[in-house]
Amino acid sequence: KPPPVQDENEDGTVTTRQEESSISIIIMTLLALLSLFAFHCTWITSSAYSSPSIVLATGGHGGTRHILDDFREAYFWLNQNTDDLSRVMSWWDYGYQIAGMANRTTLVDNNTWNNSHIALVGKAMASNEENAYKIMQDFRCGLHFGYIWRNDRLLWGRY
């Protein structure tokens, strides 16, 4: 068996061609894994965040598909069961959807720059019912109701 080809580096160390090949393979493997990771992240992000639909679909075991139409139904209910001049207090995430789908004024939405306004809405949502009701009165919200759902069962509701 012939001896491995050796090269002397500038600092005086000696490396073999086999060591250089191993390092190259490790670097190429790492680059390939990073590329796969970037592709995977892009695919997951596009499937999770790029759907502009308010009707959501989930996949179950065995390939079953479940359609969740709750947002659209709630916005339709708001449109049909509240006065045209009603103000809706929701967290800011849903503000544009309520304005667009239910055609109702919202207290906060994705473009609210008034931080104290958002803070008061957050305080109302984190408060007990009595304190939240006072904050809603300050905002002149006409219809007062709240729902807590768990596993398709109404736990609490009040108008």
Side-chain angles (χ1 to χ4, degrees), residues 123-134:
K123 182 179 179 181
M125 293 187 180
S127 297
N128 62 29
E129 187 177 344
E130 183 180 326
N131 292 335
Y133 185 77
K134 289 176 186 174

Side-chain angles (χ1 to χ4, degrees), residues 71-82:
F71 288 115
R72 190 191 59 78
E73 289 180 10
Y75 300 146
F76 181 74
W77 185 93
L78 275 173
N79 182 278
Q80 298 298 309
N81 294 287
T82 59

Side-chain angles (χ1 to χ4, degrees), residues 16-75:
T16 63
R17 301 278 171 142
Q18 189 175 19
E19 289 174 341
E20 289 177 359
S21 296
S22 297
I23 292 172
S24 297
I25 289 172
I26 290 171
I27 290 173
M28 289 172 46
T29 303
L30 287 175
L31 287 174
L33 288 173
L34 286 173
S35 297
L36 285 173
F37 179 71
F39 177 77
H40 171 75
C41 290
T42 303
W43 179 73
I44 291 294
T45 303
S46 68
S47 64
Y49 300 117
S50 295
S51 176
S53 177
I54 60 168
V55 178
L56 306 173
T58 63
H61 297 293
T64 59
R65 187 172 177 161
H66 303 283
I67 304 297
L68 304 172
D69 198 19
D70 298 344
F71 288 115
R72 190 191 59 78
E73 289 180 10
Y75 300 146

